[in-house]
Amino acid sequence: MTMALSGLTGLFRSLTLCSQTAAPSKLGSLVPCAVGQCRGFLTTTSLEQNRTLWKQIDKYTVRPIGMKKTGGRDHTGRVRTHGIGGGHKQRYRMIDFQRLHYEDGKGSKPFEEKVVEVRYDPCRSADIALVAGGNRKRWIIATENMQAGDVIKTSGVIGRMAVSANEGDAYPLGALPVGTLVNNLELLPGKGSEYIRAAGTSGVLLRKVNGTAIVQLPSKRQVQVLETCIVTVGRVSNIDHNKRIIGKAGRNRWLGIRPSSGLWQRKGGWAGRKIKPLPPMKSFVNLPSVTAK
Amino acid sequence: MLSETASCLKAVSPLWPHWLSGETLRRLSAHGAVSRRQQPQRHFGVSLRHTAKIPPPRKPREKVDIPGLELITYGERMHYVPGLAKPVNPDWEKDFKDPRFYKSPTLHDMPLYKEKPCYIFNHRTNALEGVRQALWLTKTKLIPNLPPQLLSLAEKPANQIQDQDERVQNAIKHARFWDTTVERPDKLKYSNTLLHNLLHLCATLQSSHPAFGRRLTAEKYSLAATWTRGEDVLQIRGQNGFLLSCMDPLAQVSGKQEVMETAEHTLETFYPVSPTIDLQKVHVYKENLNCTGFIGDYPYPHAHTLYFQEADAGHKLQPEQFRAKMLMFTFGNALARAHKLYGTQPQSILDRPVTVQAVGTNGRIFQFMVFQLNTTDLRGDDGIKNQVWLEDDVELYDFAKVRPLIKKKQVKVPAGLSGYKPEAFSKFLALYLHGAV
């Protein structure tokens, strides 16, 4: 450290003598003192770039947040993913994927919420619904026939009898009858849903095996999760999303998709139809469960 | 770093020794303390190699704090000695007050902090359920139209202004077309001008109605009123529209019989939404805060009419939420007055109910409201309720277009003022005349 200091002081002396460099008087820095604590450069501007600061809001809000587009570039500035850029400006609405999210001070009882509005979300293919219950409002992924004014129920209780669930309600897998269409699947109880969230998708509850449940995902892969994981009943909204016709190149550009490279490239082993057996069932049962705070 | 510093340093980078890289510079932070937020690695490299991904910073060695163990530090020796602990200096609190470096106390240390939260309705609150929510919060019964005795006031020819229709149309034209240097004035401006013009027109009747001289308008006064509803403490605070206040109180609109009949009415609930949704929840508040906005010996203490504008400086409200805001602030004014007259103890029935009126507009559509506070006992859901007569969405005119609307070469809506409706102004005048005739 002392070597660094002496080096620095020497440098600054050389800077003042050197006439080629820009005037050192412009430097708004303190000369580091030789003894005691090292005092570095006095910086007054923020060093961070604002690139990802918009994502780091920790308090949940219903209001949409302005997003910064990356254009497929990563933190070094180079293109990491091709074909992304431009497109209409979008605002991010914070979605609460943890459906069984109790309100502060309200206890752990099953609760109901009222759907205030179902609207288009530019950030995903599914529609989102603003639900209000108690003293708070939050955004969730809307299911197929959700309309403003509906009342949806969320429960974490697994009874002995299976519940006849209405569409849009959320229950643990252990409480639902086998064969129900489900969406917004959690793999670990309390983590929040990560699977089956796209428009029109739904999984099927295949069977329940002592404390765990097996769900078939939309890709026909089967997954074994604990029966306390919460799922929503029904299909995700906007079911005709896969039937839409883009129609013109411009519409793709509005969606932020840039044209692919026109260079002809020999297709390798990745191309062509593959007929493979289903991968084995993935089990998330023996991992420790995560409770989101 | 200052941009000049960065550019200077970039210029002199070949002069620097090789070990003086961004790593060392990173550790030389200005105040010597660990910055709370981890600062990104600074790169002064100009070659491409330096823009590759840098290894993540090493986490500093975890310092274990063993209580009772005396650390041997190099503080006394006045220079760094490898192996000895870094001296920890005690936090120095200034013993004098310096307003430039004031640190506010944490939430729990604030003197007015209370465990029980208070829900505040302020001027920007956007109530989810609108008027239903406001009715529940103020324990009020809604009656759809204005009371008939008020409407008959404006019918009398003695109470009408000379050339009333023409003068009102001129007032609208002034607000919408003439009071600007650009092509058309924006909504905030024209609704304000229109309200002031209409008020001025009503006040021209002062020669025949001397009681108008006992009134005064006031703007930007801060209202505060507190009440309990069930388990929750509610407050209404803020600057609402402008207030027309009077030396004499308004007479009650509905008779004793009607007031007693409100006890049978049940308030509308909206499960699963709680009635305190969208209200600002605070833990730091003054209990029993009641303030009409004026000091004790103000000569015009009784609130007569409140005038609200929908497009209020940045936060616009939907019509339903706007009516809810009108209702809440009218109630707030009435409650503050009642608390002043009868004390803060809840009274199940007031001998002289407090009446306050309200007019809200967005420049074209008017909402009229007459509120009568019958009770200050708002804790339970039963008993005598307050009453509100609400007439919503009364249009003053249909269109006031600067350029005509032409579809397929035919004029659909001509330029200028079209579709003037005189009923809206007669209701406005009736509310103004109430109490003075």
Side-chain angles (χ1 to χ4, degrees):
Chain A
M1 193 59 95
T2 41
M3 216 166 67
L5 283 174
S6 53
L8 268 172
T9 41
L11 256 177
F12 275 102
R13 242 177 275 128
S14 68
L15 276 173
T16 48
L17 291 173
C18 182
S19 57
Q20 291 157 356
T21 54
S25 55
K26 274 208 260 171
L27 289 172
S29 57
L30 291 177
V31 176
C33 49
V35 184
Q37 288 287 80
C38 60
R39 301 221 146 247
F41 298 100
L42 180 71
T43 60
T44 47
T45 54
S46 156
L47 287 181
E48 290 111 358
Q49 293 164 311
N50 199 10
R51 268 203 310 229
T52 50
L53 282 183
W54 67 268
K55 287 192 217 178
Q56 276 152 35
I57 180 169
D58 40 2
K59 184 160 188 248
Y60 183 83
T61 37
V62 173
R63 305 180 68 185
I65 305 168
M67 264 168 51
K68 273 187 155 33
K69 287 184 190 273
T70 61
R73 270 86 180 163
D74 64 0
H75 66 286
T76 59
R78 297 188 168 190
V79 173
R80 240 255 192 98
T81 311
H82 290 280
I84 299 181
H88 198 283
K89 241 186 182 156
Q90 295 174 347
R91 283 198 292 177
Y92 173 63
R93 286 151 181 91
M94 296 176 73
I95 312 279
D96 192 1
F97 288 111
Q98 193 189 357
R99 184 67 186 265
L100 190 68
H101 194 167
Y102 297 113
E103 215 181 320
D104 291 335
K106 283 281 171 79
S108 321
K109 298 190 297 287
F111 56 94
E112 289 186 336
E113 284 166 310
K114 181 177 153 188
V115 175
V116 174
E117 144 183 55
V118 175
R119 81 183 299 272
Y120 171 81
D121 189 9
C123 304
R124 63 198 76 249
S125 54
D127 292 335
I128 52 172
L130 179 64
V131 300
N135 270 331
R136 60 141 187 216
K137 294 188 279 196
R138 56 188 184 143
W139 291 107
I140 59 169
I141 304 275
T143 54
E144 194 182 341
N145 294 321
M146 220 184 237
Q147 276 155 18
D150 293 349
V151 173
I152 51 179
K153 190 170 171 202
T154 314
S155 160
V157 166
I158 306 178
R160 269 194 44 212
M161 297 264 295
V163 182
S164 73
N166 299 320
E167 196 202 304
D169 294 344
Y171 289 101
L173 278 167
L176 289 172
V178 166
T180 35
L181 292 179
V182 296
N183 61 70
N184 285 68
L185 173 68
E186 285 185 329
L187 295 177
L188 300 174
K191 194 173 180 196
S193 59
E194 283 168 344
Y195 283 68
I196 324 178
R197 297 178 351 192
T201 49
S202 59
V204 182
L205 179 56
L206 291 176
R207 50 183 208 275
K208 294 193 271 191
V209 176
N210 66 326
T212 66
I214 294 171
V215 178
Q216 181 185 284
L217 301 180
S219 59
K220 310 286 189 297
R221 177 137 192 205
Q222 296 184 359
V223 144
Q224 183 179 29
V225 289
L226 284 171
E227 64 171 8
T228 47
C229 294
I230 304 291
V231 282
T232 328
V233 177
R235 284 177 73 181
V236 182
S237 53
N238 201 8
I239 47 177
D240 293 327
H241 177 73
N242 56 348
K243 297 192 189 73
R244 65 175 178 166
I245 302 172
I246 300 289
K248 57 179 190 174
R251 188 158 282 120
N252 254 341
R253 296 306 298 269
W254 301 340
L255 298 172
I257 302 169
R258 275 174 60 216
S260 47
S261 140
L263 181 68
W264 181 86
Q265 299 179 16
R266 161 70 55 196
K267 294 198 202 299
W270 52 269
R273 184 171 176 189
K274 305 279 181 299
I275 300 176
K276 299 188 294 190
L278 266 187
M281 183 172 77
K282 179 95 175 142
S283 175
F284 290 90
V285 166
N286 292 322
L287 298 172
S289 74
V290 169
T291 32
K293 286 266 160 47
Chain B
M1 216 184 244
L2 295 170
S3 48
E4 298 100 329
T5 322
S7 53
C8 294
L9 289 168
K10 259 200 204 147
V12 304
S13 60
L15 303 176
W16 285 8
H18 61 99
W19 41 261
L20 192 65
S21 61
E23 162 93 18
T24 336
L25 281 165
R26 216 182 323 120
R27 287 197 274 148
L28 296 172
S29 76
H31 30 264
V34 177
S35 54
R36 254 185 263 158
R37 209 191 292 190
Q38 191 176 13
Q39 297 198 338
Q41 325 290 332
R42 282 186 263 177
H43 280 287
F44 299 103
V46 294
S47 62
L48 282 172
R49 283 296 301 279
H50 287 260
T51 56
K53 181 166 181 177
I54 44 151
R58 296 186 306 272
K59 291 199 176 68
R61 184 171 48 92
E62 198 187 298
K63 292 186 174 62
V64 180
D65 184 34
I66 306 169
L69 190 71
E70 196 192 309
L71 290 172
I72 302 177
T73 66
Y74 58 78
E76 285 158 357
R77 303 207 202 179
M78 300 293 277
H79 64 93
Y80 175 73
V81 175
L84 294 186
K86 185 169 176 175
V88 175
N89 297 320
D91 287 333
W92 174 68
E93 297 280 333
K94 279 195 168 90
D95 53 352
F96 57 94
K97 256 171 57 167
D98 190 347
R100 287 190 307 159
F101 302 103
Y102 170 69
K103 275 207 171 94
S104 63
T106 54
L107 184 67
H108 292 266
D109 294 335
M110 295 209 178
L112 292 175
Y113 174 78
K114 290 162 188 64
E115 289 293 332
K116 190 171 178 188
C118 171
Y119 297 93
I120 298 186
F121 191 101
N122 52 33
H123 67 289
R124 323 177 34 148
T125 308
N126 194 344
L128 182 74
E129 292 285 328
V131 176
R132 286 198 310 170
Q133 187 175 354
L135 289 175
W136 192 93
L137 288 172
T138 56
K139 199 175 169 186
T140 310
K141 179 180 171 188
L142 174 70
I143 300 157
N145 292 314
L146 285 179
Q149 63 260 36
L150 269 194
L151 296 171
S152 59
L153 272 181
E155 304 295 323
K156 295 181 196 161
N159 292 342
Q160 286 180 2
I161 311 168
Q162 249 183 352
D163 299 326
Q164 183 170 305
D165 285 346
E166 197 191 313
R167 290 183 78 175
V168 172
Q169 283 176 329
N170 278 343
I172 302 169
K173 284 176 193 170
H174 172 247
R176 286 302 296 256
F177 307 124
W178 306 333
D179 185 28
T180 177
T181 51
V182 296
E183 197 184 328
R184 60 170 68 82
D186 53 303
K187 192 181 253 195
L188 187 59
K189 183 157 188 202
Y190 74 65
S191 71
N192 201 21
T193 322
L194 182 64
L195 257 182
H196 282 281
N197 286 352
L198 294 178
L199 261 184
H200 175 82
L201 267 182
C202 296
T204 52
L205 279 175
Q206 188 169 347
S207 47
S208 51
H209 297 81
F212 287 176
R214 297 168 65 78
R215 292 180 182 180
L216 192 69
T217 47
E219 230 181 310
K220 289 198 176 169
Y221 70 102
S222 298
L223 173 75
T226 319
W227 73 102
T228 23
R229 191 87 177 82
E231 295 295 323
D232 310 314
V233 177
L234 300 168
Q235 273 192 6
I236 183 157
R237 301 241 286 257
Q239 294 183 344
N240 28 305
F242 59 89
L243 167 74
L244 180 73
S245 52
C246 194
M247 283 184 180
D248 324 302
L250 271 175
Q252 65 182 82
V253 177
S254 72
K256 198 90 176 161
Q257 182 58 32
E258 267 187 63
V259 167
M260 303 308 280
E261 276 169 12
T262 56
E264 282 118 35
H265 172 79
T266 41
L267 293 170
E268 206 182 337
T269 50
F270 24 88
Y271 179 78
V273 170
S274 149
T276 47
I277 199 172
D278 278 331
L279 298 184
Q280 183 190 8
K281 185 172 168 186
V282 291
H283 286 271
V284 175
Y285 59 96
K286 263 191 200 161
E287 273 172 352
N288 284 332
L289 178 66
N290 286 295
C291 171
T292 47
F294 302 96
I295 53 172
D297 55 350
Y298 182 59
Y300 306 86
H302 299 94
H304 184 275
T305 319
L306 287 160
Y307 295 95
F308 292 93
Q309 287 172 59
E310 206 177 273
D312 188 19
H315 30 271
K316 291 200 287 197
L317 291 173
Q318 295 298 313
E320 185 68 20
Q321 277 73 35
F322 178 55
R323 271 174 249 134
K325 175 182 163 180
M326 278 171 63
L327 177 54
M328 293 297 294
F329 275 100
T330 325
F331 167 78
N333 274 290
L335 190 69
R337 188 85 213 123
H339 279 310
K340 202 152 183 188
L341 285 176
Y342 302 104
T344 47
Q345 286 304 310
Q347 319 251 333
S348 64
I349 181 164
L350 302 177
D351 327 317
R352 282 232 190 108
V354 179
T355 314
V356 183
Q357 297 175 143
V359 174
T361 176
N362 74 344
R364 185 175 81 91
I365 302 180
F366 282 76
Q367 337 270 351
F368 299 108
M369 179 185 290
V370 180
F371 182 86
Q372 182 171 311
L373 185 77
N374 298 322
T375 171
T376 50
D377 181 19
L378 304 160
R379 194 174 275 269
D381 278 342
D382 50 351
I384 295 185
K385 318 264 181 323
N386 307 314
Q387 288 166 301
V388 70
W389 290 261
L390 173 61
E391 184 144 359
D392 43 6
D393 291 340
V394 181
E395 291 176 354
L396 183 57
Y397 53 91
D398 280 334
F399 296 100
K401 292 191 87 63
V402 170
R403 307 187 68 183
L405 178 67
I406 300 176
K407 290 275 182 201
K408 291 190 182 168
K409 295 195 184 164
Q410 281 184 344
V411 176
K412 299 285 176 195
V413 180
L417 182 65
S418 60
Y420 169 68
K421 298 181 174 72
E423 298 87 31
F425 184 72
S426 60
K427 285 174 188 162
F428 188 95
L429 188 58
L431 283 190
Y432 192 86
L433 289 167
H434 184 214
V437 173

